[in-house]
Amino acid sequence: LEGVWGGLAAACTGENKEGGGEGEEEKEGTKADASSLAKDLEETLVVSPESTAAKAPIEIEPSRQPTQSQSPTPLFVLYGSATGNAEHMAKDLAASYQTALQSSPSTAYFPSVTCCPLNDYKKKCLDVWSAPPASPAAKHGVLFLCSTTGNADAPENADRFVRWLKRKSTEPTRPFRHCAYAVLGLGDSNYDVFCAMGKSIDRK
């Protein structure tokens, strides 16, 4: 489009002339050339009501999206928050996905969204994470949002989850082997240990 408008602007300003001698004959023909150009532009840009182009609407082919089956499990959005920032972001993400799901359910991979504190992992999430999906290539979707408080400590609503994650008995079970996840760590860069909880969750 930039090329189209650039060419149109150049035509209107006369910047696209080739050759361009500076004799008297060109000066005398300037007015006639301008009138001819204006007439040409009018004929080119104005579509008459009787024309086919005016009657037929322009059809734009919709973008083709790959066909995919829905996941049988929800999208999990879990948060650990001390001041409310991580909680607000998590709930905002969940609400955005819910809006997208309602507006276009056929294109959404997850049929629903579950948003809760990290400490609710055992009650709302663990049984689902531990079960293999119906398809070997499929994964459960999990988003972690966790802030860091004090001296690289977990928020109160995430401390049980972090302790469970760090247990030696947890690692062999590989609780996230059936999950595809993303981690957002929040923290204060003025502290020596920055985003410790986000990094810890990602490592495990």
Side-chain angles (χ1 to χ4, degrees):
L1 287 177
E2 290 182 0
V4 173
W5 292 118
L8 181 59
C12 291
T13 58
E15 294 176 358
N16 65 336
K17 289 184 179 179
E18 298 180 358
E22 297 180 357
E24 292 296 327
E25 293 181 1
E26 180 181 343
K27 293 182 180 179
E28 292 175 0
T30 301
K31 185 174 181 180
D33 292 342
S35 299
S36 176
L37 177 61
K39 184 177 180 181
D40 291 342
L41 287 173
E42 182 179 0
E43 292 176 353
T44 302
L45 298 177
V46 176
V47 180
S48 62
E50 293 80 15
S51 69
T52 304
K55 294 179 181 180
I58 299 174
E59 295 184 1
I60 301 176
E61 183 180 356
S63 59
R64 295 180 180 178
Q65 297 184 358
T67 303
Q68 58 182 0
S69 59
Q70 277 195 329
S71 168
T73 57
L75 170 65
F76 293 96
V77 182
L78 292 93
Y79 60 87
S81 183
T83 62
N85 287 337
E87 179 179 358
H88 175 76
M89 295 174 70
K91 290 181 177 179
D92 188 54
L93 282 171
S96 297
Y97 185 81
Q98 186 64 38
T99 300
L101 182 63
Q102 291 174 350
S103 62
S104 183
S106 61
T107 60
Y109 180 67
F110 300 102
S112 60
V113 57
T114 297
C115 183
C116 62
L118 280 163
N119 279 351
D120 289 346
Y121 73 97
K122 186 176 292 186
K123 180 171 60 176
K124 297 185 178 181
C125 312
L126 193 56
D127 289 342
V128 176
W129 295 344
S130 302
S135 170
K139 296 286 187 181
H140 305 300
V142 187
L143 298 177
F144 297 103
L145 296 88
C146 191
S147 62
T148 302
T149 63
N151 187 21
D153 298 323
E156 289 185 6
N157 58 2
D159 55 359
R160 290 199 305 273
F161 172 81
V162 172
R163 287 198 302 269
W164 167 76
L165 203 60
K166 290 181 177 180
R167 288 176 190 163
K168 292 182 179 180
S169 59
T170 301
E171 186 175 352
T173 64
R174 299 173 57 211
F176 302 113
R177 64 189 181 280
H178 299 305
C179 298
Y181 73 92
V183 179
L184 173 61
L186 285 77
D188 189 340
S189 59
N190 291 319
Y191 287 87
D192 294 334
V193 183
F194 178 58
C195 285
M197 287 301 99
K199 293 176 182 177
S200 179
I201 293 172
D202 187 40
R203 282 196 301 268
K204 297 297 182 179

